[in-house]
Structures are given as structure tokens and as C-alpha cells.
Amino acid sequence: MDSGKPVHRRKPDTPVTGLRTALKSQNIREVSVKGLELSKVIRLLEDPLTAGLKERNLFVLKKLLKRNQIGFLLKELTAIAKILNICADKVKDYPEYVSFLCEALTICRLPFLKEKTSDELNYAPDVMEFLSHIGCLMRVPHDDVRQHIVECVTSFYSGVAPKQLIDGVQPTSPGYRLQLLERSELAQTLLLSTAILENQPAIKLQLLQALQLLSSSSDMNCASMLHARGAETICLHMNEPDPSGQVLFRSSEILWNLLERGSKEEVMAQLSTMECVLSLKEAFFHQLLTDSQHSVVQLRNDLLVITTFIAQNLNAPLIESLFARQLVVLSTFPELKSCSPLVHNVKFTYSNEDLKMKKLLLNLLVIMSRDMAALQLYKEERVMMGLLEIMKPLTTASPKCRSRSHDWSDVQWEELQLQALATLATIAPLMLDEYMSYQGNTYLLLLLDWCVGPDSYFAQGHSFHATGGRGSKKAHLRHSIRVLRSVMSEGEESVNRDFCDQGAINQLLRLLMQMESSPDEDDIVTLEIKSDIQLILSMLCETDMHRKELFGSKGVEMVVHFLRKGSDNFYSGLGHNKLILSTVDCVWSCIVGCSTTEDYFLAKDGAFLLLDLLGTSPRCVHGVVLATLLELCDNLNALSHILSWKDSSGQTAPRLLLRLWREEEEELGVNRNPDGEITDPQGPILNHFQLDDFQVSFPANVPTAAVLEISENVRSKIYSIFCKLGFHELPGLPAKDYVTLSIVRRYLDFKVGEVWDEISRELSLEGVRPISPDEEALKVICKISEDTARSVMVEQRSILKQQQLEDAKEEELMYKQIKSPLKQGEVAAKSWNDYVSRTSNYKILKEVKAQREKISEPSKPNQEDGVIRPAEQFIGSIIAVESTDHPGPAGVKVTLAKISMKTTGQDKGEPTTQNSEHFSAVSVRD
């Protein structure tokens, strides 16, 4: 309706969302325009007609940088990289392009920009290529460009914050660029560029810092650097002139990172060249002789650790470069005097860093000892003497050594001694001549005396080798025993004889029992010492009868003591398993073979203890114990001990052996039925491992499966023990054991047939046909083996059938025993019922009386024989009445007395006798 007022058309408001959409589309158009401009810029720079227009080109490039102040778009990185490469090539003729490169590298520090979330994945190859191109810009011969490149790479790890962004673009995620950097060739390119910076120490130092950052942050960067032989490159350039003194430090840190995060083998191989070894040698001795500042000696020790890694490569020219000889001289300083000028110039302050260097040198001796040429160096430089001097206890050390040891603190001297002992354990077996010439056995025995001596010594126990020895001499004792074990294990008779001639056997036995009597609980260190002592005794006595006699009764008592402990703690994880095995080995090596010690061992119930151990120990110990028992069975006195043994459940030794046989066959997968009978007469003792090798032909110098099986399980040992004990009249065997025993008795026959069957099968696999007599002989032998198995099967069936009959008889007897009390109860009940009937019914009582008189009538005396016997009358009196548990009259026990009286018709001249006697205890019955 018209009201007469003017009507104005209202202009609609522009929505905010519409404005943003318009701005976004505008930005997108600008970006696309810039993309189009990048192609024009590249054409402008490459076109021969416009390439020489320097001012115009620089104007366009500055305009390009101005439009990308907030960062480069991911989709433009390929074009930007191409522009940077073109400008880098122009720098040689037009230095004005340097400023553009520097400004562009400054923008590269900012995060890259993306329009879509999917751009990160779509343009990932472009980003990797762009980062690689940044490294290639190091070819530009200008300090500013190279410095900007290094700063740009370093900024990737510092996280430069993005500038204010426009709508439509977002910065990439923080770790995106670093992940792609690892997959690019930037680290490899920067590494190779170190060779062109010899005359630019400042930039080189910055580049090394960047490489250190790259190598410490990523394993892939380390792999890329090693692919370009980065370890070798860094090592060769670390001794170049450096006013700051930081190049060597940065280089060593890079090498450390490559060792830790890269392939250690690859690093060792690259550093094992003569040039690298000489470079390390120069750097090490420069640090050793110049200054004693903390940072310098730390760097010196780091270089020594790197040298230790190189020494693990046997092809490293440490000896050829004379580096090894100089290190060996240092390892014996200051314990031994040397004419080498190197030693005179060394600044030794006895600090903790010097102690670390000393320990590293001793460790280096161990690593280099694998090379025979290094052992010759050790002889020439008297390494053995230096080690023995270090390991001397201060109470027995020479005054010169004691005075030098005072320069070290007590903690340092303890660490040094233990390190020397650990080194000696490796080197002494390799240098037995030097060991004997310097009386190594005497040194170690004196050290053992000191370890168990009464003098007070409080060990600090801070070092690795002092584990478990804090507050005692246990760590020294542990490593001393280790040295003796390693030396005696070589089996050199002259060394062992010298050791025993000094009373070592009795000393070790005394030491072992002294440790055993200690109130301290067994820990891992104590158990290791005990087991090592037993191993040393075993190695000394194994082949020498005189030493077994020296082992004597004290040794037997020691072994018996440890056998009594049993195997309860076998899986404790502390070393009880090793102690049990070393104890059994001690029996085998030190007792078996000497009649006097064997008899004493048997008298101390040693055979019983071995059988106890066999019955309770895990399966892995059975082989050793059975072998020891088998050797002990050569003593005739041992057989009676074995046959008389019984465990707590009454199980005898033959029964235990047969049980182990069945368990072994079950483990091997031998075919048996539930009763233990043979099921396959063609393979009565075959296990599943041999069945797997049926179609395999072994070479002539390789033992077959049938032969290997003898040594790999305990069946052969059990069979051999039964051959000693006999197969008959064995106590305490049920039918199931006799079934197993029938197999054991024929084990050798089965094994011979098994070997012949293998021979026949291998000939068939190799296509060899024996001559007719041999072929027939093979068939006969295999047939005999099968027939033997079948006869054993028949014997097993008869044993089981006999057992079934015996079980049936026992069952019948058991039922009879069950029925007998029931029958007796029925008879007693019937008797009681009869008694009740007689006492309660007079008629029944008269019938019973008449029946009794009728029965007793034939027994009355006959009056016709003419003999009249006077009648005797008895007067009975009740003496006692007792009650029992039986019901009725049977439960009343009455004691009577009787008196015989003369009748009137007796002769008066005969005195009247009065015999009074007690009846035996009777119960009132019917």
C-alpha cells in the first residue's frame, strides 16, 4: 500500500565470508601470476638476448624476492632452485648476483609454504631436490654465499618462526623439512665441500659445526656422509691450520657421531688407511705434548678411543706407521723407564684424565694382541714386566714402584691394578715365555696370599673391573684367578709344573675352603671365583697322576662338600650352574684314575652323591655326571656302591638309569608305544633327527647321523654303565623297567645294524651297486638287525604278559583278604544269635544239651573193662572278672580256681591232697 513516503532501495551488505573468499581468490590469482612470472624470469635469465642485461635481471630478481618475503611456496621450489643455479653460474662474471643469493638463502631459513595439506606429500621430491641444490651452491667462490649456506642449514634445527602469513597459505609442519633433509644429498654435498675450504678456516669451522649437527641428529645423515667417505675426509683435514683450535675438536665429535650412529665397520674401514692413521697419530701426540688443560686431555683421550676402534681392524697399518710402538711405550709409563724421547716430553699429572688414558692404553694392548707383530712389540718394550709391576700389591712392591704409586690416589691405583690384571688375562697366554721369564706364577701366588691375608684393605669398587669388590679384596682375587685360569688352560707343561712346584694345589684348596667357610652369602663374584679355582685344579690334575695324589683327601673332602649342596639353586642366575659343572669336572679330572683318591671318594659316599645329583639335576647335566660315573665304574668297589644306592623314594640306581633312558628317548622322538615297547623293528632306536636325514648323503670326512647320535645323547653312556653293572639280578625293577632294559641290552646290536643300514642307504643314494656277495651280505646284516628287534619285541610281550598274570594273582589275593573279615563277622554273628536263643528259650537249651550229651556219649569210659576209677569232684571259685570289647558273653573274661576233692570211697590211708590252680584266662562262651 502506498503511504506517500519516498521509498529507498537498501543496498545489501556484503557478507564477511564473501569478502574472505574474494581475497582468497585474489591471492590465488596472484600466486598463479607469480608462477607465471617465474617461468618468465627463468627465460629472461637464460635467453642469450637478455642474459647479459644485468641491471634488468637484478631488478626482476629483487622484485621476486620482495614478493616471497614470507617464504617460498612448495610448488615453486623447483623453479626457485633453477633460478639460484643460474645466478650461481653468473657470479663468476657478475659478482652483483651474490647479494641475491644471500637474500634468497636468508628466505630459505623460513618454513616452506603450502596451499593444501596434500602439498607436503605431493611436492616432497621437489623439496629434497631443492635442499640438495642448496648444498651445491657451496661451489660459488664467495665467502658470504658459503657462510649463508651454512647458517641456513643450521637454522633448520633452530626452528625459525614464520612471518605473518596471508590467507590461503600455511607453513609446513616443523619436522617436515628435517625429514626430507635426511633423504636429500645435502649432508653429503656439505661434507665434500670441506676440501675447498682449506684457506677459509672461519667458514670451515662453521661448516664442521653444521656437519656435527647433521651427524648427531640423524642416522640417515651419517649413512649419507659415510657413503661419501665422510670419516676419511674429516680425518684427513682435521690437522689443517686453525687459529681457533676448534677444528680438531669438531672433527673428533663428527667421527664420534659417525661411530655411534653410523656403520661402525664402515667407519673403521675408512679410517684404516695409512693417511688416516698418520693423521690420527699427529693429532694425538700434538695434544699429548702441548698442554695439560682439561679440554685438551679430554680431546686426547677421545682420539685414543677412536684409535682403539681402528685397532680392531687387523688390516689397519698401526704397526707400519710406528703409531703402535709409541702407544706401547706409553702403556708402560711411568712404571718402567724408557730411552724413548717421547716419554721424556710427556706431561703426566696423575689426574683422572691421565688415568683414563692409562686404562685406554692397557685396553689397546688387549685389542692389538691379536696381531703376532704386536706381540713382538710387547716383548721388545717389556710389556709383561710393566703389567706385573702394576699388579703387585703395595706391601710387596719394590720401593721404586711404591714411590711411583704414591703419585696415584688409592682409588686410582686400585683401578689401574684391576685393569692390568684384566689385560694380563688376555696377553699372558699369548706370551708364555715372557710370563715365565718374569716369574709370573710367583707374582700371582703372592697376590693370592695378599688377597686372603689379614691386613686391612678397603676397596672403593668404583671401576668396571671392581664390580662386587667394594670394601674387600674380592675384585683382586677374582681377576687373579682369571689370569691363572687363562694361563693354565693353555696346557703348557712347563708352566703348570712350575705352578704346582710352588704348592699351588694346596694353596688353591685352602683358599677355596676358606671362602666356603666365610659367613658371607654367595654372590655372583664369589661363585665365579670358586668355579674358576675348581677348573684350574681340573686342568692341573687331569693328566698327571702325581698331582692327583697331591689333590688327596683334602681335595676329596672339598668336592664332597660341594656335591652335598645339590642342584636346588641351579637356575638362580648367580652361577650355581657353573659351580656344579666345575665340581663334577673336578671329580672326573682330579679323582677318577687314582685308586687312593677314588677309594677315599667312595668312602665319603661320593658315588651316592653323584647319583643324588643325577636324580635331581636338569637334563643338561646328565651327560657329564653319567660320564663321570662310567669312569668311576672302572673301580670295582664303585659297583657295589652304585647297586646299593637308593633315593628318598626308594628308587635304585638301575631304575634311575632306565628312567633317564626313557626320558631321553621321549626327548629324541623315538617310536615307542605307551608300555615302552618297540613299534618299528626296522628302526628300533632311530630318533626323529635321523629320520630327517634319510635322503642326505654325507661326505666321507663327515660323521653320519648314527655316529653323531652316540655323542649327542646319554643312551650310550647308560648302556656302558649297565655293561659294568650287568643286566641280570638288578634290584628293585618293575616290569616296565625290564621292558626298557631289554632295549638297553641290545643297544649295541641295534646301533651296528643302524650304521650298516646307513651304508646301504647312502650307496643307493649315490647310485652305487655293490657286488653280489656284498649286496647279499648287507641284506643279511640288515635282516639280522630286524630279527633281533623282533625277538626283543617278543621278549617284551612275554614280560608284560607275565606281569599281567602276577597282577591278576595279586588282585585275587587282595579280594580274598577283603572277604575274610566279612566271613569271620558272619560266623561271630551266628554264634551270638545261637547263644541268645539258648539263654532266652529253655526248650532250645534242653535240645542243645541233649545234642551235646549224644555227641559226648562215645567218649565216656567203658564200665566193662573192669577198672573202676574214682570220681573226682572239683570245686571252682571265681578269681576275677574282666570286660572286653566283644559283644555278649564273649566279652566277659572270667578267671577260675579249681580244687580236686577225694570221695568217701577213697583209701583213708592216703592223705588228702588239695591242688589249687588257676585256669588260664577264659571267656564265658556258650
Side-chain angles (χ1 to χ4, degrees):
M1 185 172 81
D2 192 3
S3 61
K5 295 181 180 179
V7 177
H8 301 283
R9 186 181 299 271
R10 185 176 179 179
K11 186 177 181 180
D13 297 334
T14 303
V16 177
T17 55
L19 178 61
R20 290 181 179 176
T21 304
L23 291 175
K24 182 175 181 181
S25 61
Q26 181 180 357
N27 292 333
I28 293 175
R29 285 195 301 270
E30 289 181 0
V31 171
S32 62
V33 171
K34 289 199 297 183
L36 180 63
E37 289 180 352
L38 288 178
S39 61
K40 292 181 179 180
V41 172
I42 294 173
R43 193 180 309 116
L44 179 67
L45 294 174
E46 289 182 338
D47 194 335
L49 298 177
T50 59
L53 302 176
K54 180 181 62 175
E55 290 79 3
R56 183 180 177 182
N57 293 343
L58 289 174
F59 175 78
V60 173
L61 292 174
K62 288 180 179 180
K63 188 176 180 181
L64 176 64
L65 293 177
K66 186 176 180 180
R67 293 183 177 180
N68 291 277
Q69 287 296 317
I70 59 175
F72 293 120
L73 281 170
L74 291 177
K75 68 178 184 180
E76 295 180 347
L77 290 180
T78 302
I80 296 295
K82 191 169 185 179
I83 293 173
L84 293 177
N85 282 326
I86 295 173
C87 294
D89 294 335
K90 292 178 175 293
V91 167
K92 185 177 181 180
D93 298 326
Y94 305 102
E96 291 81 1
Y97 286 96
V98 170
S99 60
F100 167 74
L101 292 176
C102 293
E103 291 182 20
L105 290 171
T106 303
I107 296 176
C108 290
R109 301 181 189 180
L110 300 174
F112 298 137
L113 303 178
K114 61 181 179 181
E115 296 176 344
K116 304 176 183 178
T117 305
S118 60
D119 285 352
E120 291 187 358
L121 181 62
N122 295 334
Y123 295 105
D126 296 345
V127 177
M128 290 189 290
E129 189 70 21
F130 180 78
L131 294 174
S132 300
H133 280 297
I134 290 179
C136 294
L137 294 178
M138 290 294 293
R139 71 181 187 274
V140 178
H142 200 281
D143 294 350
D144 292 340
V145 175
R146 292 172 176 174
Q147 185 172 356
H148 274 78
I149 293 173
V150 174
E151 292 175 353
C152 177
V153 174
T154 306
S155 67
F156 293 164
Y157 292 90
S158 59
V160 178
K163 296 184 177 181
Q164 186 176 0
L165 301 175
I166 62 175
D167 291 338
V169 293
Q170 292 292 329
T172 55
S173 55
Y176 175 73
R177 184 163 50 183
L178 295 180
Q179 292 177 2
L180 297 180
L181 187 149
E182 295 175 354
R183 293 167 174 78
S184 69
E185 298 179 357
L186 177 60
Q188 185 175 348
T189 308
L190 292 178
L191 175 72
L192 296 175
S193 63
T194 55
I196 61 177
L197 298 177
E198 296 181 4
N199 299 324
Q200 297 173 330
I203 299 177
K204 180 180 179 180
L205 179 59
Q206 293 181 356
L207 178 60
L208 289 175
Q209 292 174 348
L211 290 174
Q212 180 185 350
L213 191 60
L214 290 171
S215 60
S216 63
S217 61
S218 169
D219 296 348
M220 297 181 66
N221 287 339
C222 292
S224 177
M225 293 169 66
L226 288 175
H227 184 70
R229 301 192 65 82
E232 181 180 6
T233 303
I234 294 296
C235 185
L236 292 177
H237 293 88
M238 65 183 180
N239 290 318
E240 293 176 355
D242 173 33
S244 65
Q246 290 291 313
V247 171
L248 183 58
F249 171 74
R250 299 295 178 184
S251 300
S252 66
E253 289 296 321
I254 295 173
L255 293 177
W256 262 110
N257 293 336
L258 294 177
L259 283 169
E260 290 179 351
R261 311 203 63 162
S263 172
K264 188 180 297 184
E265 292 75 16
E266 181 65 23
V267 176
M268 290 163 52
Q270 293 183 17
L271 295 180
S272 296
T273 62
M274 178 63 77
E275 293 78 8
C276 288
V277 171
L278 291 175
S279 179
L280 273 173
K281 175 185 174 182
E282 179 183 353
F284 174 76
F285 285 109
H286 175 74
Q287 299 298 311
L288 179 67
L289 302 175
T290 54
D291 201 352
S292 58
Q293 294 181 1
H294 184 71
S295 59
V296 174
V297 294
Q298 275 190 334
L299 179 57
R300 174 200 65 191
N301 292 346
D302 290 344
L303 294 173
L304 191 55
V305 174
I306 295 173
T307 306
T308 303
F309 280 107
I310 297 175
Q312 296 178 13
N313 185 0
L314 293 177
N315 297 323
L318 290 174
I319 297 177
E320 294 81 352
S321 64
L322 302 180
F323 193 16
R325 178 179 292 276
Q326 293 171 325
L327 293 175
V328 170
V329 172
L330 280 176
S331 66
T332 60
F333 176 78
E335 288 74 29
L336 297 181
K337 288 185 177 181
S338 176
C339 299
S340 174
L342 173 66
V343 174
H344 299 156
N345 298 325
V346 173
K347 297 180 179 180
F348 215 69
T349 61
Y350 299 94
S351 62
N352 287 332
E353 294 299 328
D354 288 340
L355 177 65
K356 290 180 182 178
M357 184 187 74
K358 184 75 174 180
K359 293 169 64 176
L360 286 172
L361 289 170
L362 294 178
N363 182 59
L364 189 61
L365 294 177
V366 175
I367 296 174
M368 292 193 302
S369 62
R370 296 178 298 169
D371 192 345
M372 296 302 296
L375 295 179
Q376 183 61 34
L377 284 179
Y378 297 169
K379 293 179 181 179
E380 295 174 1
E381 300 298 336
R382 301 177 299 163
V383 169
M384 183 63 65
M385 182 178 179
L387 292 174
L388 293 174
E389 286 292 331
I390 295 174
M391 55 163 266
K392 272 186 178 181
L394 294 181
T395 55
T396 61
S398 61
K400 184 185 300 182
C401 182
R402 195 179 300 119
S403 63
R404 288 174 181 170
S405 66
H406 289 331
D407 296 326
W408 300 102
S409 66
D410 292 341
V411 177
Q412 291 175 333
W413 184 249
E414 175 192 339
E415 293 187 24
L416 199 57
Q417 278 184 316
L418 295 176
Q419 186 73 38
L421 284 169
T423 304
L424 196 63
T426 303
I427 294 178
L430 305 175
M431 302 175 62
L432 290 178
D433 293 339
E434 297 292 312
Y435 176 81
M436 291 299 296
S437 63
Y438 291 116
Q439 300 179 348
N441 285 332
T442 305
Y443 275 84
L444 289 170
L445 289 175
L446 290 173
L447 184 58
L448 289 181
D449 285 336
W450 175 78
C451 290
V452 298
D455 57 324
S456 59
Y457 177 78
F458 188 84
Q460 300 299 319
H462 294 314
S463 65
F464 168 77
H465 295 291
T467 303
R470 182 173 177 82
S472 65
K473 306 172 187 175
K474 192 181 293 185
H476 292 78
L477 179 60
R478 178 190 194 182
H479 288 281
S480 302
I481 295 297
R482 280 185 180 181
V483 176
L484 288 174
R485 185 193 65 187
S486 63
V487 171
M488 300 305 147
S489 64
E490 293 297 309
E492 182 65 32
E493 183 58 29
S494 59
V495 179
N496 294 356
R497 188 187 310 112
D498 175 75
F499 187 64
C500 294
D501 290 345
Q502 300 185 50
I505 293 179
N506 288 328
Q507 184 175 351
L508 291 176
L509 288 173
R510 186 169 59 253
L511 170 61
L512 190 56
M513 296 310 296
Q514 181 177 345
M515 293 183 64
E516 188 63 20
S517 62
S518 174
D520 299 336
E521 293 184 1
D522 288 342
D523 56 7
I524 188 170
V525 176
T526 304
L527 291 172
E528 179 188 338
I529 294 173
K530 293 177 182 178
S531 59
D532 283 348
I533 292 176
Q534 290 182 344
L535 288 176
I536 293 171
L537 291 171
S538 299
M539 289 183 285
L540 291 174
C541 301
E542 184 175 6
T543 58
D544 193 287
M545 187 63 65
H546 175 63
R547 294 172 194 162
K548 290 185 179 182
E549 295 174 352
L550 291 176
F551 187 78
S553 59
K554 291 183 179 180
V556 171
E557 291 174 357
M558 177 272 295
V559 169
V560 168
H561 171 78
F562 282 101
L563 285 177
R564 291 187 189 278
K565 290 187 172 184
S567 59
D568 296 338
N569 297 321
F570 191 84
Y571 292 111
S572 65
L574 297 176
H576 289 92
N577 53 344
K578 297 179 182 178
L579 185 60
I580 291 173
L581 291 173
S582 62
T583 303
V584 176
D585 185 53
C586 218
V587 176
W588 194 348
S589 302
C590 303
I591 295 177
V592 174
C594 180
S595 58
T596 56
T597 53
E598 283 182 359
D599 292 339
Y600 191 72
F601 179 70
L602 294 173
K604 289 290 185 179
D605 296 335
F608 293 170
L609 294 173
L610 286 176
L611 288 169
D612 290 337
L613 180 63
L614 181 63
T616 58
S617 62
R619 181 173 175 267
C620 57
V621 186
H622 293 167
V624 181
V625 179
L626 286 171
T628 306
L629 281 171
L630 178 59
E631 294 292 333
L632 194 61
C633 285
D634 291 338
N635 189 323
L636 298 179
N637 297 327
L639 301 180
S640 60
H641 283 258
I642 294 176
L643 290 174
S644 62
W645 172 84
K646 287 185 179 180
D647 63 2
S648 57
S649 62
Q651 182 178 227
T652 61
R655 190 172 180 182
L656 171 62
L657 294 174
L658 294 172
R659 178 174 65 83
L660 295 178
W661 179 284
R662 288 192 294 269
E663 291 176 356
E664 185 71 17
E665 288 194 333
E666 183 179 357
E667 184 72 21
L668 295 174
V670 181
N671 292 326
R672 296 283 184 266
N673 67 5
D675 294 325
E677 296 180 82
I678 296 174
T679 57
D680 183 12
Q682 295 181 349
I685 58 174
L686 282 177
N687 58 54
H688 65 87
F689 298 109
Q690 293 173 267
L691 294 175
D692 295 339
D693 296 334
F694 254 36
Q695 301 300 323
V696 179
S697 178
F698 293 91
N701 59 343
V702 176
T704 61
V707 178
L708 285 175
E709 189 264 346
I710 297 176
S711 61
E712 290 176 350
N713 61 72
V714 301
R715 291 193 293 179
S716 59
K717 299 178 180 65
I718 295 176
Y719 167 76
S720 301
I721 292 176
F722 272 109
C723 289
K724 301 283 186 179
L725 299 177
F727 294 95
H728 305 285
E729 299 180 359
L730 298 174
L733 294 184
K736 185 175 183 180
D737 289 335
Y738 277 111
V739 170
T740 307
L741 185 62
S742 62
I743 301 175
V744 177
R745 187 171 64 251
R746 294 290 187 175
Y747 174 75
L748 184 59
D749 298 333
F750 292 152
K751 181 56 65 176
V752 172
E754 187 180 304
V755 172
W756 280 108
D757 185 63
E758 275 191 348
I759 294 173
S760 176
R761 188 170 60 253
E762 287 196 8
L763 290 175
S764 176
L765 290 174
E766 295 177 1
V768 178
R769 180 188 176 278
I771 60 176
S772 299
D774 290 345
E775 185 176 5
E776 187 170 353
L778 281 174
K779 291 180 180 179
V780 171
I781 292 172
C782 295
K783 185 69 169 58
I784 291 174
S785 177
E786 185 176 346
D787 292 342
T788 303
R790 294 187 184 279
S791 66
V792 172
M793 293 172 67
V794 173
E795 179 184 354
Q796 290 176 332
R797 292 192 192 100
S798 66
I799 293 172
L800 293 175
K801 186 175 181 181
Q802 183 66 27
Q803 180 64 28
Q804 291 174 358
L805 294 176
E806 292 180 1
D807 291 343
K809 290 181 180 179
E810 290 180 0
E811 185 178 357
E812 184 178 356
L813 179 61
M814 182 185 66
Y815 279 121
K816 287 182 179 180
Q817 292 175 352
I818 294 174
K819 290 171 64 177
S820 177
L822 297 177
K823 186 66 176 177
Q824 292 176 0
E826 291 176 0
V827 173
K830 183 178 180 182
S831 177
W832 172 252
N833 292 333
D834 292 343
Y835 174 78
V836 172
S837 299
R838 291 195 306 271
T839 56
S840 61
N841 194 330
Y842 180 72
K843 184 178 179 180
I844 294 175
L845 180 62
K846 288 176 65 178
E847 293 176 356
V848 172
K849 184 178 180 181
Q851 186 178 2
R852 286 183 178 178
E853 289 177 351
K854 185 178 180 179
I855 294 174
S856 62
E857 187 69 27
S859 62
K860 288 183 178 181
N862 191 356
Q863 299 294 334
E864 298 178 357
D865 59 0
V867 179
I868 300 175
R869 293 182 177 84
E872 289 187 1
Q873 295 179 357
F874 295 91
I875 298 176
S877 62
I878 297 175
I879 303 300
V881 178
E882 298 179 8
S883 297
T884 63
D885 296 334
H886 298 283
V892 180
K893 183 178 180 181
V894 180
T895 305
L896 300 177
K898 67 178 181 177
I899 302 174
S900 178
M901 305 296 294
K902 284 182 68 176
T903 61
T904 308
Q906 286 180 331
D907 189 3
K908 296 180 180 179
E910 295 179 3
T912 302
T913 60
Q914 195 173 18
N915 292 331
S916 177
E917 62 179 347
H918 292 283
F919 285 91
S920 59
V922 294
S923 299
V924 177
R925 298 187 182 275
D926 49 322

